[in-house]
Amino acid sequence: MSGNRHRVLGGGGQHVLDYLKRMQAENQNFYYEVQIEADQSIGNMFWADAASRLNFNYFGDAVKLDMSYRENRHRVPLAYFSGINHHGQPVLFGCALLVDESESDFLWLFQSWLRAMSGRYPVTITTEPDRILQMAVRLVLPQTRHRLCKNGIFKETKEKLAPLYQSHPTFETEFHKCIDDTDSIQEFESCWSSLLERYYVMDNEWLQSMYGARQHWVPVYLRDSFFGEIFATEKSEGSFFDGFFNAATTFQLFFLQYERAISSWHEKELKADYDTNNMIPILKTPSPMEKQAANIYTKRIFLKFQEELVETLANPATKVDDCGTMSTYRVAKFGEEHKAHTVRLMDLEMKASCTCQLFDFSGIICRHILAVFRAKNVLMLPPHYILKRWTRKAKTGSSLDEHGSEGPISPQESGTVRYNNLRQEAIKYVEEGAKSIHIYKVAMDALQEAGKKVAALKNQSRFFTQGIYLTNGSSQEVSTGEANQTTSSQSMAEKEKKIRELTAELDSINQKSEFYRTNLLSILHDVEDQKSKMSVKVQNSKLSLKE
């Protein structure tokens, strides 16, 4: 194995290692791990820059491991973790050079990545349909829902059933339709059985094995988990490194292209930020909810929400059951009643579940629930249907909190998070302090006093900062400062965490109060209307009796 690695990496391994060391020296939040073999040859490598680690805190709920170098025969065996940001753009969570693909190598890859992400599990992860990969995910990420790439399944099926594809050209179309166009588990099961019987492949071992793994790749089985995919019908943005690497890319050119890719996507994100903040969306309805969403979501996410809202005009909701605290509605598009969806609504909390499960899967409320809200005269979007990761403020605060299986990362766990938290707090002082001369003086005094305290604490120890030294695939953290400083910082961190939790709770309560107030006013308005109509009817009745 060592000899194979040496032949694959060649002199490029040292080139990469030199780059990683230089980047870590420039920024202590740059994380890397390298496997060094017994013969001192360089093995697998993993790294995550500061931006990747920070982005994971905001968008690390749905992750994909891309290993397209296998299919494209790239000279550089790059595997990388990525996700989707608040503009629906790919965002990087870490990279690796995998010069071997044994079970131990994949275990090392996931363990290294998890350490770089401060031990925080994603909600879901998507990988290629590989048995060894599946085993590694199950061992290292037991709390994470694992999905196998559907396109990979389609490709393998075409290879395994090549004679069938050639003799029955219609099989491929019907196979894809069975997977992609079924709306429920029952419909898929029926369609699958019918397909296999029609083409006489009921005993095919490959199809049987794929059916056995259906909960990991067939869409109807995965809609109850968040994968952050909301643009299935649109042209895909592509993978993070699409167009930057090819089979001719050498190790010497690798990091030049790597940095170009990062710079390119950073520019696209800045442009999307600019478009969101400076372009006024065109509203298509008089609904206050649409205006609310336009002010909260990023531009691209708002357009998806707007599409769902407009579709409520063609998807009326009909109440079919009422059990006191819960109502059941049937929602179907005109002319497509056979494709109706069922929405169950808890009236007091205004929480609903829909059989389409769009909100569970993508984080965008569906047209069916919106149709029920329209029937109930709900004018504002309830706060629990607004995922922070899709909003303009997705990258404020300490971390993503809607879907993460772990709580917010403490300030001690990540220098990147510490930096971002301090930066956000400082910006608050700057913005408020610039509003008037009085507030300016107060803010300046506070900052100067804080500066004195920081300087005094630094003088108590010669080595106060933290550093990470990584070698042979392991890390040693050199933490400095007196014991009482550690205890004090932990105590302060607990207080700050409690303050953040209470602040978030207060914000949630305020949002709910505003929501209930708006609905109450709406109800009162309806009561007044009904009162006026009733008064007119009474007057008409009196006149009729007199006559």
Side-chain angles (χ1 to χ4, degrees):
M1 186 181 295
S2 298
N4 180 53
R5 283 174 171 161
H6 187 70
R7 284 194 299 273
V8 173
L9 285 179
Q14 188 60 48
H15 179 81
V16 175
L17 184 57
D18 291 342
Y19 176 87
L20 299 181
K21 288 180 177 179
R22 185 171 71 254
M23 295 302 293
Q24 209 277 329
E26 293 176 1
N27 188 334
Q28 66 171 359
N29 293 317
F30 186 97
Y31 184 101
Y32 76 92
E33 292 191 29
V34 178
Q35 283 187 322
I36 305 297
E37 298 303 315
D39 62 356
Q40 299 304 304
S41 62
I42 297 173
N44 296 317
M45 298 175 153
F46 171 82
W47 70 93
D49 60 22
S52 295
R53 301 176 73 190
L54 183 59
N55 279 329
F56 183 80
N57 291 319
Y58 303 124
F59 311 116
D61 41 12
V63 175
K64 178 182 178 182
L65 174 61
D66 193 308
M67 300 182 66
S68 55
Y69 73 86
R70 289 170 157 184
E71 179 182 345
N72 300 327
R73 294 186 174 86
H74 289 173
R75 182 180 301 182
V76 180
L78 174 69
Y80 60 93
F81 296 90
S82 63
I84 299 293
N85 69 7
H86 52 322
H87 298 295
Q89 300 168 329
V91 60
L92 194 63
F93 296 145
C95 298
L97 294 178
L98 288 181
V99 293
D100 196 52
E101 297 177 4
S102 66
E103 182 177 334
S104 61
D105 289 290
F106 284 135
L107 286 173
W108 176 86
L109 170 64
F110 286 112
Q111 289 167 349
S112 299
W113 177 71
L114 195 60
R115 282 190 288 269
M117 301 302 132
S118 302
R120 186 169 184 170
Y121 292 88
V123 175
T124 60
I125 187 168
T126 302
T127 72
E128 293 180 7
D130 183 290
R131 182 185 59 80
I132 301 177
L133 266 176
Q134 286 181 264
M135 179 70 71
V137 171
R138 186 160 58 247
L139 291 174
V140 182
L141 305 173
Q143 302 178 32
T144 299
R145 182 76 181 273
H146 185 196
R147 179 178 66 168
L148 304 178
C149 179
K150 184 180 60 177
N151 291 334
I153 299 288
F154 286 157
K155 182 182 177 184
E156 285 196 45
T157 301
K158 192 170 186 177
E159 293 173 355
K160 297 285 185 180
L161 305 181
L164 177 63
Y165 275 64
Q166 292 173 2
S167 60
H168 295 84
T170 58
F171 176 81
E172 182 174 10
T173 301
E174 292 191 42
F175 180 69
H176 283 238
K177 186 176 180 180
C178 178
I179 305 304
D180 292 327
D181 295 345
T182 47
D183 292 327
S184 67
I185 292 176
Q186 294 76 12
E187 185 181 355
F188 165 76
E189 296 281 355
S190 175
C191 181
W192 180 272
S193 298
S194 176
L195 179 69
L196 267 57
E197 289 176 4
R198 195 158 56 254
Y199 288 93
Y200 303 101
V201 288
M202 292 83 74
D203 298 327
N204 183 275
E205 291 184 6
W206 170 256
L207 290 174
Q208 286 182 347
S209 67
M210 288 298 94
Y211 179 77
R214 62 192 182 282
Q215 293 184 345
H216 292 285
W217 66 280
V218 178
V220 291
Y221 291 95
L222 295 161
R223 288 176 184 165
D224 60 346
S225 299
F226 182 82
F227 286 92
E229 295 179 3
I230 61 175
F231 306 110
T233 59
E234 299 179 24
K235 184 180 179 181
S236 174
E237 286 274 15
S239 299
F240 194 87
F241 290 109
D242 276 0
F244 291 94
F245 298 126
N246 55 48
T249 304
T250 63
F251 281 106
Q252 287 68 29
L253 292 174
F254 173 75
F255 280 108
L256 176 63
Q257 294 298 98
Y258 166 82
E259 292 181 347
R260 283 178 177 172
I262 290 176
S263 177
S264 174
W265 282 113
H266 179 63
E267 290 177 3
K268 290 179 180 179
E269 182 176 336
L270 290 177
K271 184 180 184 303
D273 284 337
Y274 178 85
D275 290 345
T276 293
N277 295 325
N278 293 279
M279 293 185 182
I280 301 174
I282 298 174
L283 303 183
K284 296 182 179 181
T285 74
S287 169
M289 190 182 291
E290 184 181 13
K291 185 176 181 180
Q292 174 197 14
N295 293 327
I296 292 175
Y297 289 128
T298 60
K299 179 186 175 183
R300 196 174 182 198
I301 304 304
F302 167 71
L303 292 177
K304 176 61 179 175
F305 170 83
Q306 187 182 57
E307 176 188 332
E308 295 298 314
L309 183 66
V310 170
E311 281 294 324
T312 62
L313 300 174
N315 286 265
T318 304
K319 184 184 286 189
V320 294
D321 190 23
D322 193 343
C323 300
T325 58
M326 180 176 288
S327 304
T328 303
Y329 292 80
R330 185 177 183 273
V331 183
K333 189 172 185 177
F334 285 114
E336 298 181 5
E337 283 73 14
H338 62 289
K339 293 185 177 181
H341 285 278
T342 301
V343 176
R344 290 181 174 83
L345 175 69
M346 297 177 66
D347 294 277
L348 293 177
E349 295 88 350
M350 279 300 155
K351 288 186 177 180
S353 63
C354 180
T355 52
C356 80
Q357 297 181 303
L358 179 66
F359 183 77
D360 301 319
F361 185 78
S362 69
I364 299 294
I365 191 168
C366 66
R367 62 194 64 180
H368 314 109
I369 296 178
L370 288 173
V372 172
F373 284 170
R374 187 165 175 263
K376 294 280 292 183
N377 203 24
V378 177
L379 300 180
M380 302 294 284
L381 194 62
H384 43 265
Y385 284 109
I386 303 173
L387 264 60
K388 182 182 177 184
R389 60 119 53 241
W390 293 134
T391 69
R392 298 170 181 230
K393 297 183 178 180
K395 299 179 78 170
T396 61
S398 59
S399 66
L400 176 75
D401 56 9
E402 290 92 346
H403 292 291
S405 56
E406 299 285 336
I409 297 173
S410 70
Q412 282 77 23
E413 290 182 3
S414 169
T416 306
V417 175
R418 292 197 302 272
Y419 170 84
N420 191 62
N421 288 345
L422 289 170
R423 180 175 175 272
Q424 293 296 333
E425 288 300 314
I427 288 175
K428 290 179 184 177
Y429 277 94
V430 172
E431 291 177 346
E432 293 297 325
K435 292 181 178 178
S436 70
I437 186 64
H438 175 69
I439 299 177
Y440 167 80
K441 290 180 179 179
V442 174
M444 183 60 74
D445 290 342
L447 289 171
Q448 290 175 346
E449 182 65 25
K452 292 177 183 178
K453 290 181 179 180
V454 171
L457 194 58
K458 286 177 66 177
N459 291 332
Q460 292 180 18
S461 174
R462 294 174 57 193
F463 307 103
F464 182 71
T465 59
Q466 288 188 338
I468 299 176
Y469 177 69
L470 301 114
T471 183
N472 296 347
S474 63
S475 63
Q476 296 177 342
E477 184 171 298
V478 183
S479 182
T480 56
E482 302 297 330
N484 60 344
Q485 292 174 6
T486 303
T487 303
S488 174
S489 63
Q490 289 176 344
S491 176
M492 182 62 69
E494 291 174 359
K495 292 179 181 178
E496 291 175 351
K497 181 180 178 181
K498 189 65 176 178
I499 291 172
R500 288 197 300 271
E501 290 174 351
L502 292 173
T503 301
E505 185 177 350
L506 180 61
D507 289 341
S508 177
I509 291 172
N510 287 337
Q511 288 179 347
K512 289 180 179 178
S513 298
E514 179 61 25
F515 167 68
Y516 291 136
R517 186 184 72 84
T518 303
N519 283 328
L520 180 59
L521 290 175
S522 175
I523 292 170
L524 291 174
H525 179 69
D526 288 344
V527 170
E528 288 296 326
D529 285 346
Q530 292 297 325
K531 182 180 176 182
S532 299
K533 292 177 181 178
M534 186 62 71
S535 177
V536 172
K537 288 182 179 179
V538 170
Q539 293 297 327
N540 290 337
S541 297
K542 286 181 179 180
L543 291 173
S544 298
L545 290 172
K546 287 180 179 180
E547 292 175 357

